[in-house]
Each structure stands twice: as structure tokens, then as C-alpha cells.
């Protein structure tokens, strides 16, 4: 298949990967909420879905593949259809790149580094194609896909050629993993609540890492944290600074297991702000990719109090997001 920019395919039969269909889409290979995917193709990542479809040999009445956004999972899913033979030879590494981008987990360090490099390509301040990222978002996506489909395999197989794009973030990951190994970061799991409490020693510096192809996560590198726990609810405690997130696995149609449903964190933010003498708490809607509850500075509440409020709210608040609705 060949790639074509999303808005240009409204009247061209197309396959959409890792996004939502348009008027001319004949097949959608995506884990996005509400997407209908044949049962034999369902998987955690859109990249896995695309690989399953490519291996099935099923015919589809389209020669064009597209996507309405750019990220690692979308890139790998598209590459599996644009160059299926080359993709098949490096399937596990490529899927790990997709997992690093979407779920902030990895098995192979070279895949993690490739994901970092892809995020750098999408950053207008760091990208080797920065001059092409100044226009509308659709044009940015087209420039990124056209460039990255040509070099994604090189990124994965020979990451050392792109070291200047991933070296700094890779150092953040190394230090975050070392802090976990030394006990400067400790993860306490509460399996019944699917909650991991990540305690970062007060003297540990704030570290960061990419999420998807555009977002940054601050505290410890998310690849280090998510590799250290299978819980999908994460509370980071760094001194008296707190940040809670629902992992992206809870936004998509995750198939390995059914995550506990998200709840609306905004009422909890109001509750904690009323109880906190020093900080204002804010929360994002349950419909965003990875909802977040956090303080605007150091809190006046101790960790036990925060955890009590959080666990009570997670247990009692009604479900506020269902990615499986209408999709089977």
C-alpha cells in the first residue's frame, strides 16, 4: 500500500491505521475507542492489529493507507502495510517501538531509543525536518510520515546513527532505572485498585521523558516507571509534590486484560484543594489520552492523607470512560 495524507483521502478508498475513519475508509485497523475491528485482528496496539491483518492475506478494496495523527504506533502500523516484507522481518522490534510510544514500556533498548528519536523528529524545536513542521497539523503529519516511513527501519536496526536525537533522553531513562535499582524510587502496588504508588526520594532530581510523539512526562522517566509495574493507575509522590495519572492503556481498547474503568478526577481535585492549605489541585477530563491529577506546587497534605482521598474516590466514583462501547 502507499501512504496518502488523511484529508486528501476523503474520496479515495483507504485503510486507516491507529486513528478514526473518514468518509472513504473501507477498513480501520485501530485500537481507538469505539473502533470496530474484526475479532481475529484485535490486539493491544494498532501496530499489532496491522501486522495481524498483513499476515492474514485478506483482500481490501483500497491501495491507500492513512492516519489522522502522527505517533510511534501509527508509524509502525502504517509501515506494516507499506512495506510488509521488511516489517515482518523486524516485527518484534517494531512492535516494541509502538509500545514505547503508546504505553511507555519497552523490552529492547534500541526500540526505546528509536521511539525517543521519533519523538524528536516530531518536535519542531529539535526535528531534522523542523522547516516542514510550521504549517497546519495535517501537513505536519504528512511530512513526518513521508520522512519516517523511509527511515523507521534504520532507526530501529541502527539507532546509533541517530544518537544525537535520543542521547539526552536515554540518559534520563538510565538515571531513572538506576534510582529504582538503588531504592531512591520505590514502587508500592495495590493490585485490588490497580494502583501503583511511586515514591521518589526528596533528594532525587525531577527527570522527564516523552509520551507519544509530543507530550513530556515529569517526575521520573515513564519508561522506567511503567516497566516497573503492571498497574494502570499511577500516583507519583515526590516529597510533597503529587501527580496521579491513568495510563493510556485505559483510553484504548486494550485486549490483554480489561482495565478498571476510569473515573472523573475533577471532583477529587476540588475535594483536595478544599483540604489543602498550600496548593491548588487540578485534574483533566476522563476523555483525554492520559488523565492527570496534580498540585500546582508543594502540597500541605501528607502522603497518607492524599492516598486515602484517592483510593476512596477511585473505589466510589462511577465509571466515566468506556472505550469498548459499540465496538464489541
Amino acid at each position: 500500500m502507499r501512504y496518502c495524507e488523511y484529508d486528501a483521502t476523503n474520496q479515495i478508498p483507504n485503510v486507516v491505521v491507529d486513528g478514526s475513519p473518514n468518509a472513504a475508509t473501507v477498513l480501520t485497523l485501530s485500537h481507538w475507542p469505539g473502533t470496530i475491528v474484526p475479532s481475529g485482528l484485535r490486539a493491544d496496539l494498532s501496530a499489532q492489529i496491522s501486522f495481524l491483518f498483513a499476515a492474514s492475506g485478506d483482500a481490501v478494496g483500497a491501495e491507500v493507507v492513512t492516519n489522522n495523527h502522527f505517533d510511534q504506533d501509527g508509524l509502525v502500523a502504517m509501515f506494516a502495510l507499506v512495506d510488509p516484507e521488511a516489517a515482518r522481518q523486524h516485527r518484534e522490534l517494531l512492535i516494541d517501538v509502538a509500545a514505547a510510544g503508546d504505553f511507555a514500556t519497552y523490552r529492547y533498548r534500541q526500540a526505546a531509543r528509536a521511539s525517543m528519536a521519533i519523538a524528536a523528529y516530531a518536535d519542531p524545536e529539535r526535528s531534522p525536518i523542523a522547516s516542514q513542521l510550521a504549517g497546519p497539523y495535517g501537513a505536519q503529519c504528512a511530512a513526518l510520515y513521508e520522512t519516517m516511513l523511509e527511515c523507521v527501519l534504520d532507526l530501529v536496526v541502527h539507532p546509533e546513527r541517530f544518537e544525537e536525537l535520543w542521547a539526552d533522553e536515554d540518559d534520563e531513562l538510565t538515571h531513572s532505572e538506576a534510582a529504582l535499582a538503588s531504592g531512591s524510587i520505590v514502587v508500592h502496588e495495590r493490585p485490588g485498585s490497580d494502583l501503583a504508588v511511586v515514591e521518589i526520594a526528596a533528594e532525587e532530581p525531577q527527570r522527564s521523558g516523552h509520551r507519544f510523539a509530543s507530550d513530556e512526562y515529569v517526575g521520573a522517566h515513564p519508561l522506567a516507571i511503567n516497566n516497573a509495574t503492571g498497574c494502570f493507575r499511577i500516583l507519583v509522590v515526590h516529597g510533597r509534590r503529587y501527580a496521579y495519572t491513568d495510563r493510556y492503556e485505559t483510553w484504548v481498547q486494550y485486549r490483554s486484560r480489561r482495565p478498571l474503568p476510569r473515573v472523573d478526577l475533577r471532583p477529587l481535585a476540588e475535594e483536595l484543594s478544599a483540604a489543602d492549605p498550600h496548593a491548588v489541585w487540578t485534574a483533566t477530563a476522563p476523555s483525554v489520552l492520559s488523565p492527570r491529577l496534580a498540585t500546582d506546587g508543594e502540597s500541605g497534605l501528607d502522603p497518607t492523607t492524599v492516598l486515602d482521598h484517592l483510593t476512596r474516590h477511585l473505589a466510589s466514583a462511577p465509571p466515566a470512560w468506556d472505550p469498548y462501547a459499540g465496538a464489541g
Side-chain angles (χ1 to χ4, degrees), residues 214-282:
S214 57
D215 297 344
E216 184 179 59
Y217 184 95
V218 177
H221 198 295
L223 286 167
I225 297 303
N226 289 2
N227 261 21
T229 178
C231 294
F232 288 165
R233 294 165 164 174
I234 309 291
L235 173 65
V236 174
V237 180
H238 194 177
R240 286 293 182 96
R241 293 180 181 271
Y242 305 100
Y244 169 88
T245 56
D246 289 309
R247 284 171 54 167
Y248 182 63
E249 288 93 331
T250 64
W251 188 78
V252 299
Q253 296 179 57
Y254 196 74
R255 297 296 181 178
S256 293
R257 64 182 172 96
R258 186 65 67 98
L260 292 176
R262 293 177 172 185
V263 302
D264 192 341
L265 299 168
R266 291 170 293 187
L268 178 58
E270 294 179 4
E271 177 185 316
L272 288 167
S273 291
D276 198 323
H278 299 317
V280 174
W281 292 70
T282 58

Side-chain angles (χ1 to χ4, degrees), residues 26 101-102 109 159 171 196 201 251 279:
V26 299
D102 262 17
R109 191 59 169 249
D171 190 56
W251 188 78

Side-chain angles (χ1 to χ4, degrees), residues 163-178:
E163 185 173 1
E164 72 278 5
L165 297 177
W166 53 256
D168 289 345
E169 185 178 350
D170 189 66
D171 190 56
E172 293 282 87
L173 176 55
T174 295
H175 282 94
S176 294
E177 291 179 333

